[in-house]
Amino acid sequence: QQPVQSPQAVILREGEDAVINCSSSKALYSVHWYRQKHGEAPVFLMILLKGGEQKGHEKISASFNEKKQQSSLYLTASQLSYSGTYFCGTAGYNNNDMRFGAGTRLTVKP
Amino acid sequence: NAGVTQTPKFQVLKTGQSMTLQCAQDMNHEYMSWYRQDPGMGLRLIHYSVGAGITDQGEVPNGYNVSRSTTEDFPLRLLSAAPSQTSVYFCASSYLGDNEQFFGPGTRLTVL
């Protein structure tokens, strides 16, 4: 089952902050975050693993609440380059069957 | 390193035709996967492989076949194309299933 992302879209001014949420109805072992610009392939941002290990960017952070089966992506002091569609992907333990959310379209304006 | 490559970039098929989408990676990754992306639907997993000779179905496998004879290559076959298979197809690879996935540039397929 696909994870649910919110909001579906958000518009920011440069320098503003944003939070993107991802929730799942099944137990999670890991959450992946990717960004995709129009007409391009998705690009890896971050992985959060059960137990708290986090791998990814310095300027973009994320949290993983295992009990609530939720993850949030935090973009602070947004830049124009942050514009794109953000996807979360979720997988259970030893489960290579990754499911992605429908995406959150982020637009950063000058 | 070329990373993940896909061919062709664009393809138009008629209903009932068959074709193979090619995917190759030069990073010696064990895990490879195929996704389709439709507007508003995000990425949906079609098939994946955890190594040469091993494949498994994902979320939307019907109408597609895969094989993995080498570590490098993971072709996706459409047996009898249908308009519902019009989509953008992405191939991805990673060291293991639960690691950063590297995506290819995609193939835009239209079935008339």
Side-chain angles (χ1 to χ4, degrees):
Chain A
Q1 201 167 10
Q2 284 184 305
V4 177
Q5 287 186 234
S6 63
Q8 288 183 320
V10 59
I11 299 174
L12 301 173
R13 295 284 181 189
E14 267 188 296
E16 291 182 338
D17 303 338
V19 180
I20 300 172
N21 301 302
C22 175
S23 64
S24 174
S25 60
K26 65 176 188 178
L28 300 178
Y29 176 74
S30 67
V31 178
H32 297 216
W33 286 96
Y34 289 81
R35 177 172 61 209
Q36 184 180 31
K37 294 188 179 285
H38 184 69
E40 299 180 5
V43 174
F44 169 78
L45 291 176
M46 184 166 297
I47 291 177
L48 299 104
L49 303 176
K50 189 172 183 177
E53 183 181 357
Q54 176 178 314
K55 299 185 271 187
H57 277 218
E58 293 181 0
K59 295 190 176 183
I60 299 174
S61 62
S63 63
F64 181 15
N65 187 323
E66 299 158 26
K67 286 185 179 178
K68 291 186 177 180
Q69 293 159 193
Q70 293 176 346
S71 177
S72 295
L73 187 72
Y74 305 96
L75 301 105
T76 56
S78 59
Q79 306 168 17
L80 294 175
S81 62
Y82 284 9
S83 291
T85 301
Y86 289 76
F87 293 98
C88 71
T90 58
Y93 180 72
N94 251 359
N95 185 350
N96 294 299
D97 186 345
M98 177 159 290
R99 304 296 171 99
F100 281 91
T104 296
R105 178 173 290 186
L106 179 76
T107 304
V108 181
K109 295 187 174 182
Chain B
N1 284 352
V4 180
T5 57
Q6 290 183 237
T7 56
K9 287 188 176 180
F10 302 94
Q11 183 70 49
V12 179
L13 292 177
K14 294 182 179 178
T15 296
Q17 287 184 314
S18 63
M19 81 158 296
T20 300
L21 306 186
Q22 301 292 343
C23 174
Q25 53 92 9
D26 61 359
M27 296 173 282
N28 204 30
H29 286 163
E30 290 295 326
Y31 181 87
M32 296 186 73
S33 55
W34 276 101
Y35 295 90
R36 60 177 289 173
Q37 186 173 37
D38 304 299
M41 297 290 292
L43 295 153
R44 290 186 292 170
L45 183 65
I46 304 171
H47 285 285
Y48 64 92
S49 169
V50 297
I54 306 169
T55 63
D56 208 344
Q57 296 181 348
E59 184 182 0
V60 289
N62 292 341
Y64 307 95
N65 274 0
V66 292
S67 60
R68 184 98 178 267
S69 56
T70 67
T71 299
E72 294 78 20
D73 301 298
F74 192 43
L76 178 73
R77 281 183 288 276
L78 282 72
L79 306 174
S80 179
S84 60
Q85 293 179 306
T86 293
S87 187
V88 179
Y89 290 85
F90 287 102
C91 177
S93 75
S94 65
Y95 175 59
L96 292 170
D98 203 19
N99 278 265
E100 170 185 0
Q101 291 198 57
F102 294 83
F103 284 83
T107 295
R108 186 174 294 274
L109 176 69
T110 302
V111 183
L112 304 175

